[in-house]
Amino acid sequence: AKSTKAATKKKEEAVETGTGWEEWSQGKALVRPPDQMELTEAELKEEITRILTANNPHAPQNIVRYSFKERSYKPINVVDQMAVHFVLEGSLVHQDSEEARKLRVKEVDGGDVEEAGDEDRPDSAASRINKKEPKVTNQFNFSNRASQTLNNPMRDRICQTEPPPRSSFSATANQWEIYDAYVQELQKQEKNKEKQKGTHSQKDNGKSKKVMLMETQSEDVTKWTMASKILERTISQNTFDDIAQDFKYFEDASDEFREQEGTLLPLWKFQYDKAKTLSVTALCWNNKYQDLFAVGLGSYNFSRQGCGMLLFYSLKNPAFPEYIYPTSSGVMCLDIHAQHSHLVAVGFYDGCVAVYSLKEEGQEPVYKSTAKTGKHTDPVWQVRWQSDDMDSNHNFYSVSSDGRVVSWTLVKNELVFTDIIRLTLNCAVSEGPEGAQAPTSGTSFDFHRQIDYMFLVGTEEGKIHKCSKTYSSQFLETYDAHSMAVDTVKWNYFHPKVFVSCSSDWTVKIWDHTINTPMFVFDLQAAVGDVAWSPYSSTVFAVVTTDGTVHVFDLSVNKYEAICQQLVVDKKKTKLTHVEFNPIHPVIIVGDDRGYVTSFKLSPNLRKKPKAKKGHELPKGPEVEVAKMEKLLSLLREPDQNSG
């Protein structure tokens, strides 16, 4: 029986081993992929070594530490190459440790610590039975995969700015300069102490402290106001740099292909927010500071009269006025003194005249006429400075709708008036306030540039009277100039006989004061607001009309029509009121009824000079301009002389 059992066991083992071998051999057979490379025995036996290093590519290699022993900086060779990517503090305990054994004992309920300790010992028989063998990886199907992310490339970004301009400043300070500075400071302190001693009551003490604070504040303000103005101008010049470049350097090259036509290049536009509802009623350039000009603001709508404003702008800062003087009545005219450029004469709608000084602080005029001092009873339409009298007192003239031409003299602290002429309808001068003649309204006047006593007066009836300061009982001459009021009359800068006039009857006329009829008549198909002669040519003048157009004439080029007609504002909404030439630059400024002043640069054709012949130099001076105008006038006088 034992032999049979042993034989059956051997047979079963043989069967089991046979079947297992077949399964293992079938399951573990190597399958070669179709695209596997076929290598020779030598290639298979070749050993290829790959060395993996744990160096950090981003670790710095140039760390330097100071060695106190050697008293110098030494490079450090050993650099930490370890890069920690992930850290997680866990609660895992090794199963063979003492702490794991204690935790296992606590989990068993009612177990003896010592017995459990004996059983849990790693060398005990129970631990060997219950201990699971670690899982061994399959050596045949095992694959190890690794991946590495791309390192971000290092980039250096550098920004370079232009260095600011530098200027070297040097000064020497000697003992006397230091002494003078200390003396000035001591004098200020003594003045403050005297003011404090002079106050008796507490109220006076409080007031004196306020005065001292105001004085110190005013001193501080005066220190930084000039700096702030300079800073504002630099900012505005940087903002309007392209316009400034055009003002200085731009010349319209297309004028070479236009023989008798020119253009106007728009430059700066001057506006003040508080003056949007007012109209530009007067413009005047400063002869000493050629970038500064004055603007008078009022209203030509006589049913809507209110306050006015006197503004001073500079081409260096078009963003904001340099000086602002608000007025209780609308400004209708103004004039800046030729020699004393800080004095400005202003005429108002209520009949007053005033003199402002830019040197004085505050917004009130230094001189102003009142009803007691002979102010006009109607709006003042024109003021003009004249040369000083025998006592070296400044004086100016004014004309008003009340028919009076008045001379105003600045004597100490008041204005002294003298009536020069009273205008009448029958072309005769009234000899006094009791005269029977009906007065007429004066609308404009201008004084001769060479003959001091001669001046022209334009009236509301369209007549122009030639008058004299010394002979006030009668007009020297009367011209039937226009069918409506004469808005402007101006003598030519160069020719002593020529003057120009304009009116709302659409016409501009050029006269020789020795002849009763006009030499040139131009119909502009719109009401004319103002006319101005150019200071550089005797034959060039500019005209503005209410349809928003600027006309520039040059009689030496074209005697029949303007060589430039340019629309500069909206025709339906805006009307042009005044125009003025800059004394030295080829620039004009134009004012409208919305309070805006726009500057324009004349193209080369509008200020073209005659070409010199070969071998001859071009003559210069006012005599050339006089001859140019005289040549035009002679062409018009010849028929009259032949007929006479």
Side-chain angles (χ1 to χ4, degrees):
K2 291 182 179 178
S3 61
T4 55
K5 289 181 180 179
T8 55
K9 284 182 180 179
K10 289 179 181 179
K11 290 180 181 179
E12 290 176 358
E13 290 176 358
V15 172
E16 290 177 357
T17 54
T19 56
W21 171 256
E22 292 176 359
E23 292 177 358
W24 183 86
S25 62
Q26 292 178 0
K28 301 301 179 180
L30 296 175
V31 178
R32 190 175 69 178
D35 56 346
Q36 183 176 350
M37 296 178 61
E38 294 183 359
L39 301 175
T40 61
E41 289 294 331
E43 290 176 345
L44 289 172
K45 290 180 180 180
E46 183 181 358
E47 292 184 358
I48 299 173
T49 59
R50 290 186 180 180
I51 302 173
L52 299 178
T53 62
N55 293 334
N56 185 3
H58 299 294
Q61 302 295 330
N62 54 356
I63 297 177
V64 178
R65 296 286 173 84
Y66 185 76
S67 174
F68 291 93
K69 182 179 179 181
E70 300 182 7
R71 295 184 180 181
S72 62
Y73 287 95
K74 293 293 183 179
I76 296 175
N77 298 326
V78 180
V79 181
D80 188 10
Q81 303 290 341
M82 183 179 69
V84 179
H85 295 284
F86 180 76
V87 176
L88 177 63
E89 295 182 359
S91 59
L92 298 177
V93 182
H94 197 276
Q95 63 180 357
D96 296 335
S97 64
E98 185 69 20
E99 190 177 357
R101 185 178 62 80
K102 292 179 180 179
L103 291 174
R104 226 181 273 114
V105 169
K106 290 180 181 179
E107 292 176 358
V108 178
D109 294 333
D112 190 9
V113 179
E114 294 180 358
E115 294 177 359
D118 294 336
E119 292 177 358
D120 292 340
R121 288 175 59 186
D123 55 350
S124 62
S127 63
R128 291 177 181 174
I129 295 171
N130 297 329
K131 187 177 180 181
K132 294 182 179 180
E133 296 181 357
K135 185 177 180 181
V136 181
T137 57
N138 191 344
Q139 297 295 330
F140 299 96
N141 293 335
F142 176 73
S143 63
N144 187 10
R145 296 178 182 176
S147 64
Q148 186 176 3
T149 58
L150 293 174
N151 296 325
N152 292 325
M154 299 293 290
R155 294 181 180 177
D156 294 335
R157 292 186 178 180
I158 300 173
C159 181
Q160 185 177 3
T161 59
E162 294 182 0
R166 298 180 179 180
S167 61
S168 59
F169 173 78
S170 61
T172 58
N174 52 25
Q175 293 181 355
W176 290 110
E177 291 179 355
I178 299 171
Y179 175 76
D180 292 339
Y182 274 105
V183 168
Q184 290 179 359
E185 185 65 25
L186 288 173
Q187 289 177 355
K188 288 183 180 179
Q189 293 179 3
E190 289 177 358
K191 288 181 180 180
N192 293 333
K193 288 179 181 179
E194 290 176 359
K195 290 177 182 178
Q196 289 179 358
K197 291 179 181 179
T199 56
H200 299 287
S201 62
Q202 294 181 356
K203 294 182 180 179
D204 294 338
N205 287 330
K207 290 181 181 178
S208 64
K209 289 180 180 178
K210 289 182 180 178
V211 171
M212 289 172 59
L213 288 173
M214 290 295 292
E215 288 182 355
T216 54
Q217 288 177 359
S218 63
E219 290 178 359
D220 295 339
V221 168
T222 53
K223 289 180 181 178
W224 60 263
T225 47
M226 192 64 187
S228 62
K229 279 188 177 181
I230 295 173
L231 183 61
E232 184 184 10
R233 285 189 178 184
T234 55
I235 293 172
S236 63
Q237 287 180 10
N238 290 335
T239 305
F240 303 104
D241 181 64
D242 51 347
I243 300 178
Q245 297 293 331
D246 292 342
F247 164 75
K248 188 69 177 176
Y249 302 108
F250 180 77
E251 299 293 347
D252 193 353
S254 60
D255 274 18
E256 298 178 1
F257 308 99
R258 296 192 294 258
E259 294 183 357
Q260 296 184 356
E261 292 182 3
T263 57
L264 298 174
L265 175 68
L267 297 176
W268 300 280
K269 191 171 186 178
F270 303 87
Q271 58 183 358
Y272 185 50
D273 292 338
K274 295 183 180 180
K276 287 183 177 180
T277 58
L278 302 175
S279 301
V280 176
T281 55
L283 293 172
C284 186
W285 285 96
N286 193 314
N287 289 328
K288 185 176 181 181
Y289 304 99
Q290 287 83 9
D291 63 305
L292 189 69
F293 64 92
V295 181
L297 296 166
S299 177
Y300 287 122
N301 188 354
F302 305 117
S303 61
R304 295 182 181 178
Q305 284 296 325
C307 60
M309 201 168 290
L310 175 63
L311 303 178
F312 286 84
Y313 284 103
S314 173
L315 298 180
K316 297 177 182 178
N317 184 16
F320 198 78
E322 296 291 321
Y323 300 94
I324 302 172
Y325 297 98
T327 59
S328 58
S329 180
V331 177
M332 306 308 294
C333 55
L334 62 89
D335 189 29
I336 300 176
H337 201 288
Q339 287 77 31
H340 307 280
S341 59
H342 64 280
L343 294 177
V344 183
V346 181
F348 297 99
Y349 179 80
D350 60 359
C352 292
V353 293
V355 177
Y356 289 85
S357 177
L358 301 184
K359 292 183 178 180
E360 300 293 332
E361 296 182 357
Q363 297 180 339
E364 295 299 324
V366 292
Y367 299 94
K368 189 172 184 180
S369 65
T370 60
K372 293 181 180 179
T373 57
K375 78 163 202 173
H376 293 282
T377 57
D378 283 329
V380 181
W381 291 109
Q382 198 85 39
V383 290
R384 279 287 182 270
W385 285 102
Q386 291 299 296
S387 56
D388 296 348
D389 59 8
M390 300 294 291
D391 298 329
S392 299
N393 293 323
H394 305 315
N395 69 93
F396 65 93
Y397 282 65
S398 65
V399 64
S400 171
S401 296
D402 60 2
R404 296 166 58 206
V405 177
V406 183
S407 171
W408 303 89
T409 306
L410 281 62
V411 180
K412 293 184 178 179
N413 295 326
E414 62 178 353
L415 284 174
V416 179
F417 77 99
T418 304
D419 286 347
I420 303 298
I421 281 179
R422 289 179 178 268
L423 305 175
T424 56
L425 286 173
N426 56 0
C427 299
V429 179
S430 66
E431 297 178 354
E434 297 179 357
Q437 292 89 349
T440 185
S441 299
T443 55
S444 60
F445 74 149
D446 193 25
F447 288 84
H448 201 280
R449 302 187 186 278
Q450 285 86 24
I451 307 172
D452 293 336
Y453 62 85
M454 186 184 299
F455 64 95
L456 300 169
V457 180
T459 63
E460 195 172 1
E461 284 72 28
K463 297 182 182 300
I464 298 176
H465 302 296
K466 183 168 68 173
C467 309
S468 174
K469 296 179 186 178
T470 56
Y471 187 68
S472 59
S473 62
Q474 192 174 0
F475 299 133
L476 301 180
E477 191 71 52
T478 299
Y479 311 91
D480 291 329
H482 298 277
S483 59
M484 297 179 69
V486 180
D487 293 328
T488 306
V489 56
K490 289 185 178 180
W491 288 100
N492 191 282
Y493 281 96
F494 301 96
H495 201 286
K497 294 183 179 180
V498 177
F499 67 91
V500 66
S501 65
C502 71
S503 173
S504 298
D505 62 356
W506 298 7
T507 60
V508 176
K509 297 182 180 181
I510 296 176
W511 304 78
D512 184 341
H513 77 87
T514 60
I515 303 174
N516 287 332
T517 57
M519 309 299 288
F520 295 94
V521 179
F522 301 98
D523 190 348
L524 302 182
Q525 303 298 319
V528 180
D530 194 13
V531 62
W533 288 104
S534 71
Y536 56 84
S537 176
S538 62
T539 58
V540 176
F541 62 93
V543 184
V544 292
T545 54
T546 55
D547 60 353
T549 306
V550 178
H551 307 260
V552 181
F553 291 83
D554 190 349
L555 301 178
S556 62
V557 176
N558 192 334
K559 299 186 291 293
Y560 305 103
E561 59 184 7
I563 60 175
C564 175
Q565 294 183 9
Q566 188 164 328
L567 186 68
V568 297
V569 293
D570 192 354
K571 184 186 297 185
K572 297 181 179 178
K573 297 181 180 180
T574 309
K575 297 178 180 179
L576 300 181
T577 56
H578 285 276
V579 63
E580 199 70 32
F581 278 86
N582 187 279
I584 58 172
H585 301 296
V587 173
I588 62 171
I589 52 175
V590 177
D592 56 36
D593 61 350
R594 292 180 175 269
Y596 295 102
V597 178
T598 311
S599 57
F600 299 91
K601 184 175 182 180
L602 303 174
S603 65
N605 279 357
L606 302 181
R607 44 193 165 91
K608 185 164 55 177
K609 296 181 180 180
K611 296 181 180 179
K613 296 181 180 179
K614 293 183 178 179
H616 298 278
E617 293 184 359
L618 185 66
K620 297 180 181 179
E623 295 82 6
V624 179
E625 298 298 330
V626 173
K628 187 165 61 171
M629 176 62 80
E630 187 64 31
K631 182 179 179 180
L632 292 173
L633 297 178
S634 63
L635 296 175
L636 299 173
R637 290 173 187 155
E638 285 177 357
D640 297 338
Q641 293 176 355
N642 294 334
S643 61

